[in-house]
Amino acid sequence: MSQVIDIVSLYPKDMNIYGDSGNVLTIQRRLALYGYEPRVHAYNQGCDWPERVDMILGGGGQDTGQKKIIDDFFQRADLLRSLAADGVPMLMICGLYQLFGEYFETVDGFRLDGIGVIGAYTVGQETRMIGNLTETSADFGKIIGYENHSGQTFLRDGVQPLGTVEQDGTGNNGEDHTEGARVHNVIGTYMHGSLLPKNPAIADFLIRTAVERRYGTFDPAAAGQTDAQRAALHRIDEIADRARRVAMSRPR
């Protein structure tokens, strides 16, 4: 009997820019190659929430996209906070990273309240932070991505960043050399690219956490992983390594 993992793709209609849908595809593919059965639920405004949720993936969007989803988002706020506190693994990119914080104040002074999963707030600025980016993470090593945002995000005291950056004018706010945030098993980041194809360590963290929460152990052999699937996963990791090295060599 196959072991199913239920994945929510959060607001893919309005929060999906710069290739963020690739994160969902990566999780689907890697889960399948580990021997598990991925089941993706695309959740947009007004949709029914699935009965089972093992992982949530959310992307970035323009200010207009954030405004479109905000009412529905707040209807799901208590549920999302509860799932985060319960340890459900989540990856929130850019716009949804901001809305998982306390608030986002746009450059023209419009304020969008967040749901407070992450102790952070964001303030818009005229200057964009844009370009290839490499950050250093204690848990995931070098993380490779592409940032493109004008919001400056500041973490509250005690909130763990996803990683650190060396260059001024990059990362969460261009000032304190932090990038992203981690709370419970929630990862927030400005890294597009899409992130997960070039960062299999993060993809596997999300997968392992989801599987262990649902089935107790992460055991691809018991899930029915074949030698061919194991070899295919190895080839994907080799491709990811080459893509990482190319991206790291490119100037911003």
Side-chain angles (χ1 to χ4, degrees):
M1 183 176 178
S2 62
Q3 293 185 324
V4 173
I5 295 296
D6 287 283
I7 305 148
V8 170
S9 176
L10 196 59
Y11 303 114
K13 180 179 177 182
D14 294 302
M15 304 298 288
N16 175 22
I17 56 175
Y18 307 126
D20 291 335
S21 61
N23 294 324
V24 180
L25 296 174
T26 297
I27 291 293
Q28 282 183 278
R29 181 62 172 154
R30 294 185 75 84
L31 269 168
L33 290 176
Y34 278 123
Y36 298 93
E37 181 183 342
R39 185 160 53 196
V40 175
H41 309 269
Y43 179 82
N44 290 297
Q45 304 164 59
C47 290
D48 292 330
W49 191 261
E51 292 183 8
R52 180 84 197 203
V53 177
D54 298 307
M55 184 190 305
I56 305 179
L57 304 172
Q62 298 175 335
D63 294 354
T64 53
Q66 291 175 306
K67 293 174 183 177
K68 285 180 181 178
I69 69 165
I70 197 67
D71 290 340
D72 187 274
F73 184 61
F74 265 93
Q75 291 179 16
R76 299 295 179 185
D78 287 343
L79 175 59
L80 290 169
R81 284 190 287 260
S82 175
L83 291 171
D86 197 41
V88 171
M90 306 184 189
L91 174 65
M92 297 297 140
I93 306 293
C94 199
L96 278 171
Y97 167 36
Q98 294 170 346
L99 291 180
F100 262 62
E102 297 171 6
Y103 66 85
F104 170 46
E105 184 174 307
T106 65
V107 70
D108 57 4
F110 183 85
R111 176 165 166 155
L112 284 172
D113 288 330
I115 62 173
V117 170
I118 298 171
Y121 64 94
T122 302
V123 179
Q125 60 173 350
E126 294 289 350
T127 303
R128 298 194 71 82
M129 289 180 275
I130 181 170
N132 291 316
L133 188 62
T134 300
E135 65 184 81
T136 302
S137 165
D139 294 322
F140 306 116
K142 297 291 185 184
I143 300 173
I144 314 301
Y146 184 88
E147 65 173 348
N148 187 351
H149 60 105
S150 59
Q152 288 183 294
T153 295
F154 297 90
L155 306 182
R156 298 295 189 184
D157 289 344
V159 177
Q160 178 186 352
L162 173 61
T164 58
V165 295
E166 294 184 0
Q167 288 181 279
D168 292 336
T170 66
N172 276 332
N173 50 58
E175 299 174 7
D176 63 13
H177 292 236
T178 66
E179 201 291 312
R182 290 188 66 184
V183 176
H184 307 303
N185 289 321
V186 177
I187 294 175
T189 179
Y190 279 113
M191 293 288 218
H192 298 283
S194 45
L195 174 71
L196 295 184
K198 290 194 293 292
N199 296 277
I202 299 178
D204 284 350
F205 163 77
L206 296 167
I207 288 170
R208 177 181 290 274
T209 302
V211 172
E212 288 178 345
R213 287 187 75 259
R214 183 156 181 173
Y215 297 107
T217 59
F218 176 70
D219 189 347
Q225 185 188 42
T226 66
D227 289 341
Q229 288 172 324
R230 193 176 299 108
L233 194 60
H234 179 69
R235 288 194 298 273
I236 288 174
D237 287 346
E238 289 181 330
I239 293 169
D241 184 62
R242 291 197 295 271
R244 287 166 59 83
R245 284 187 271 114
V246 170
M248 291 175 69
S249 69
R250 289 178 175 172
R252 293 177 58 80

